[in-house]
Amino acid sequence: MAASSDSPIAVQGLQDAVYGSIRSSILSGSLPPGSRLNQGSLAARFGVSRVPVREAMSRLQAEGLVVLRPRRGFTVSYLTVDEIIEVFELRMVVEEHATAVATWRRTQADIGAVAEILAKMEGLDRTDPGLLGNWADHNREFHARLIASAGRSKLSEVALQLGDMVEPYIRLRSTRSAGIDLGNNEHRAIFEAFASGDADKAGRMARLHCDSVLKRLLKETASSGSEKTGQFAK
């Protein structure tokens, strides 16, 4: 991934690539919550100096995805169960509002784009070993595109940031494909209200969906026994 030029554009592109790769690894769970992020090792992995890695850490810290620990350096953010619940409570409020606004302001192009993502989710091959990861990717895309229909950049930013805070935990705990059917049904209910222009119902369905995801996540955590420590195990 070494840069072929020292121009500002090339340097920025390199920094974005390193940032994007680390961020994707965090959201996918490849770098689990609590993982230590050694800047030297990451620089060697990408074949770059420490500068783009340091820039990536700063950006990820601003997003709440990594934290700087005294004498430990950067680690992937690690939330307690209570903190996870708090994030979901915020998501319920934000996504209810965002989805309602999106429904008020959506265009036919927005409806078509969201419908296309939903169709991909519902049409995934259930025998594919990568089913859960692929579904999770489309799930994030579905919510991001739907909320983008609101045309409110700050609202979208807040909603996505809250979602990203808990995305690694959802992926790490979503070990069964049975939840996909329920998720698809909930997404379909949100979409139908969105497409028909029923903003109140769409917002309500979005809130109920967030609550449902939280309950499934807590159930998975309880079955693993990690709720006894008050934390989500790595």
Side-chain angles (χ1 to χ4, degrees), residues 94-117:
V94 172
E95 293 203 19
E96 179 176 20
H97 174 67
T99 302
V101 175
T103 303
W104 291 328
R105 296 173 56 87
R106 89 281 186 273
T107 65
Q108 285 301 315
D110 292 324
I111 294 172
V114 177
E116 184 176 347
I117 298 168

Side-chain angles (χ1 to χ4, degrees), residues 180-234:
I180 289 179
D181 289 330
L182 181 56
N184 283 344
N185 289 339
E186 291 170 355
H187 289 144
R188 174 60 63 179
I190 295 169
F191 172 74
E192 289 179 353
F194 170 77
S196 68
D198 190 337
D200 289 341
K201 183 176 181 179
R204 186 170 66 255
M205 292 297 100
R207 184 186 185 98
L208 290 173
H209 175 55
C210 286
D211 183 57
S212 177
V213 173
L214 173 60
K215 288 176 179 176
R216 294 199 295 274
L217 181 56
L218 294 178
K219 183 177 180 180
E220 288 284 343
T221 303
S223 67
S224 74
S226 58
E227 83 287 353
K228 296 177 183 178
T229 67
Q231 294 180 320
F232 279 69
K234 288 183 277 185

Side-chain angles (χ1 to χ4, degrees), residues 33 54 57 59 86 95 119 138 156 171-172 183 185 209 228:
R54 188 163 57 245
M57 292 298 104
R59 292 170 67 179
E86 182 180 3
E95 293 203 19
H138 290 315
S156 292
R171 293 194 184 223
L172 288 170
N185 289 339
H209 175 55
K228 296 177 183 178

Side-chain angles (χ1 to χ4, degrees), residues 9-214:
I9 294 177
V11 171
Q12 185 62 53
L14 181 60
Q15 291 176 352
D16 289 344
V18 172
Y19 158 78
S21 181
I22 297 174
R23 190 175 191 279
S24 294
S25 295
I26 292 173
L27 294 181
S28 70
S30 297
L31 286 172
S35 299
R36 185 175 179 180
L37 301 171
N38 183 282
Q39 294 187 53
S41 298
L42 288 170
R45 170 184 168 185
F46 294 115
V48 300
S49 70
R50 293 195 181 202
V51 174
V53 175
R54 188 163 57 245
E55 290 296 324
M57 292 298 104
S58 296
R59 292 170 67 179
L60 293 167
Q61 183 180 24
E63 294 176 4
L65 293 178
V66 306
V67 293
L68 182 60
R69 305 287 189 190
R71 297 180 296 279
R72 288 194 64 194
F74 286 101
T75 61
V76 179
S77 294
Y78 193 67
L79 304 179
T80 66
V81 171
D82 284 343
E83 288 170 334
I84 291 286
I85 293 172
E86 182 180 3
V87 171
F88 268 97
E89 288 172 343
L90 289 170
R91 284 189 69 187
M92 289 177 203
V93 175
V94 172
E95 293 203 19
E96 179 176 20
H97 174 67
T99 302
V101 175
T103 303
W104 291 328
R105 296 173 56 87
R106 89 281 186 273
T107 65
Q108 285 301 315
D110 292 324
I111 294 172
V114 177
E116 184 176 347
I117 298 168
L118 182 57
K120 290 179 182 178
M121 297 177 74
E122 294 175 337
L124 288 173
D125 181 359
R126 296 308 181 91
T127 64
D128 184 350
L131 171 65
L132 293 173
N134 292 335
W135 189 88
D137 289 340
H138 290 315
N139 175 60
R140 187 178 185 281
E141 185 183 8
F142 172 85
H143 289 285
R145 183 61 184 85
L146 190 151
I147 292 174
S149 304
R152 299 282 191 266
S153 61
K154 295 302 181 183
L155 182 58
S156 292
E157 183 180 329
V158 171
L160 289 177
Q161 186 171 6
L162 288 171
D164 286 347
M165 285 181 184
V166 292
E167 181 76 8
Y169 300 89
I170 294 173
R171 293 194 184 223
L172 288 170
R173 289 295 172 211
S174 296
T175 57
R176 292 194 287 266
S177 61
I180 289 179
D181 289 330
L182 181 56
N184 283 344
N185 289 339
E186 291 170 355
H187 289 144
R188 174 60 63 179
I190 295 169
F191 172 74
E192 289 179 353
F194 170 77
S196 68
D198 190 337
D200 289 341
K201 183 176 181 179
R204 186 170 66 255
M205 292 297 100
R207 184 186 185 98
L208 290 173
H209 175 55
C210 286
D211 183 57
S212 177
V213 173
L214 173 60

